Structures are given as structure tokens and as C-alpha cells.
Amino acid sequence: MPYTLVSFHAHPDDEALLTAGTLARAAAEGHRVVLVVATAGGSGLASAAMLAGCDLTERRWAELLRSAAVLGCARVECLGYDDSGMTEAPSGAERAFARQDVDEAAARLADILREERADVLTIYDPVGGYGHPDHVQVHHVGMRAATMAGTAVVLEATVDRSRLQRALRIIHYLPGIPADFAPARLAGAYTAPDALTHRVDVRRYVRQKRAAMAAHVSQTSADSGLRTLTVLLRIPRPVFRWVLGREWYVEYGRTPTEPLLDNIFASLADTPDHTIIDMTNNYAHQSEDAVGT
Ligand SMILES: [Zn+2]
């Protein structure tokens, strides 16, 4: 049975890094895939050369559309907020996503979820993986929107922390990888393996994933240091398949089981008419708790 998956992200390029394989696989398996970004990336990092004489928002939107097309997304929407920057270097933008009222932003996402009759929504974990304020806000806004729209399944897109550490130890020794790309930098980031509910096999879709990442050309440049995307695109193809051939999720309200689930629609298949049950209350409580702290 075809389902509708809405994947909510902070910035253009996040969809390629965290969920590209899952989106490509869902689309290839006949499901409707909708991509929503909170910001157009107009005030994100880029080199001065990249910024000269070009509208970065337009450019990043075009890149996002190219990435979405490669992945088979049926629709792409932007909520139109600005990049907030990292905590230590805030962008100062007036419409910085992290500073927006959660209910107001969630209502806009909920409109899309209702319109699409979304079955599954992907967001991020409560700490946004590695702490970017816009990624934390994706969690809060996404949880609230799922409550508003009664979306049945909410998945937090993340990375298996121990696998990430192993991957970084390998990547670290490859030619052309900067010395500061060390495992210790992300030691506490993302999710411990025992908290994961899904490990999605996307090895058949790494070609699309790499193409989606490569579509974000403007994200591969910045004046200070190499961006994650650049580093990942330097990985030789066989290693790339090993490093990026799986994607991980924590399904809200689901207890982790062994083996981890490979199918993001598993909960819908388990209980065909589990529609909203009392998950709605769970979302509301968690969301309020999370926002209040
Ligand atoms: Zn991001």
C-alpha cells in the first residue's frame, strides 16, 4: 500500500546528508515523498567568491530542487525562515528559524501534513543531532505539527553514534581529509545504538544520495575550513557505500527491538487502522516538555 512520507529539514542539504537514501528508496518503492525545509539557506555559510553577484537563496533553492528531483520527491516546500547560525555565531537574521514561535511555525507545517494526508513525518532528535539551533527547532516544530495534523508516525532522523565514530576513524586517514575532522569532535552527537528503532538499508540508493549531496554545490564552499559535504564527497565510492549506505531513525513512542526495523512504514503495516489512537497526547506532552526545558 502506498503511503505519504513528509521529510522536514532545517536547511537545503540536510535532506541529502541524513535522509536521502530513505527518500529515494520510498519513492522507488511507490510512495509519495514530500520534502519541506524551514529555511532557504540564504544566510548560511558560503565563501565570499560564492556570494559575489548571486542571490544565495535562489541558488540554494535551485540546488534543493535538483537534489529533490534526483531523489524522486513529488513536492518541495520551503517555510521561508532564515538560517539562525550556530549558537556561538548567530546569524542575527530577523526571521531566524530558531527564534520563531513554535506553534506558528508548526501550524504552517501542519497545513502541509493535512493537505498531503501524511502517514509518516521525519524530523530530528531533541538535540538536533549535534546541536544546531535550527535542527533543535525542527524537532519542536515537527512534534507540534504532528500533533496538530494527527500524523501517525514520527521518525527522528539521526546517526548511529558508534558507527559514526568508526566511520570517522576511517575517513580521518583518507587523503584530502582535514586533520580537524577527528572522531572526538562528534563523540557525544546523534544517538546511542540501543536507542535506535530503525536502521534503513539504502545501499542500493547511494548513487542518488551522492548525486543529491553533489547538487548542493554552494554548500561545499566556505571561507573557514571544509564543510561536511565536501569531506563526504571526497570519500572514495566503495567507502562511501559503507559509510552512507544506512540511515537511522528513532520512531517516537516505539520501543527499540532487535533486529532494528528496516522499513519506515512498519508501524502502519503492523496496525493498518491505528490512525491517531492516543499517540496525539503523547506527542503533545513530549513536545511541551521539550519546549519548556
Ligand atoms: Zn542544517
Side-chain angles (χ1 to χ4, degrees), residues 138-271:
V138 160
H139 174 82
H140 296 319
V141 169
M143 289 301 284
R144 190 67 58 86
T147 308
M148 290 172 170
T151 305
V153 175
V154 176
L155 298 170
E156 297 171 355
T158 183
V159 180
D160 178 333
R161 187 184 295 159
S162 60
R163 175 118 179 162
L164 176 67
Q165 287 296 306
R166 282 207 304 275
L168 286 172
R169 281 196 288 270
I170 293 172
I171 293 169
H172 196 48
Y173 291 108
L174 295 174
I177 305 298
D180 67 344
F181 217 75
R185 220 185 88 195
L186 288 166
Y190 298 100
T191 305
D194 60 0
L196 298 163
T197 58
H198 289 67
R199 178 179 49 233
V200 179
D201 186 344
V202 299
R203 284 174 296 180
R204 289 181 61 193
Y205 302 93
V206 289
R207 196 181 52 79
Q208 285 98 314
K209 185 168 182 170
R210 198 181 176 108
M213 285 164 60
H216 292 284
V217 185
S218 70
Q219 301 278 16
T220 58
S221 75
D223 286 333
S224 55
L226 277 173
R227 308 291 313 279
T228 306
L229 210 56
T230 318
V231 170
L232 291 175
L233 286 168
R234 283 187 182 181
I235 301 173
R237 280 170 200 273
V239 184
F240 186 94
R241 189 170 185 270
W242 182 82
V243 171
L244 293 160
R246 287 185 177 80
E247 291 172 352
W248 297 270
Y249 298 89
V250 175
E251 180 172 330
Y252 185 70
R254 183 158 188 137
T255 309
T257 47
E258 271 296 332
L260 296 180
L261 296 167
D262 178 56
N263 175 13
I264 59 163
F265 303 108
S267 290
L268 298 163
D270 288 352
T271 47

Side-chain angles (χ1 to χ4, degrees), residues 10-11 14 135:
H11 314 107
D14 290 323
H135 288 229

Side-chain angles (χ1 to χ4, degrees), residues 9-15 17 39 83 124 130 132 134-135 227:
H9 291 276
H11 314 107
D13 90 345
D14 290 323
E15 86 293 347
L17 289 165
T39 76
D83 193 316
Y124 305 141
Y130 63 98
H132 191 301
D134 287 334
H135 288 229
R227 308 291 313 279

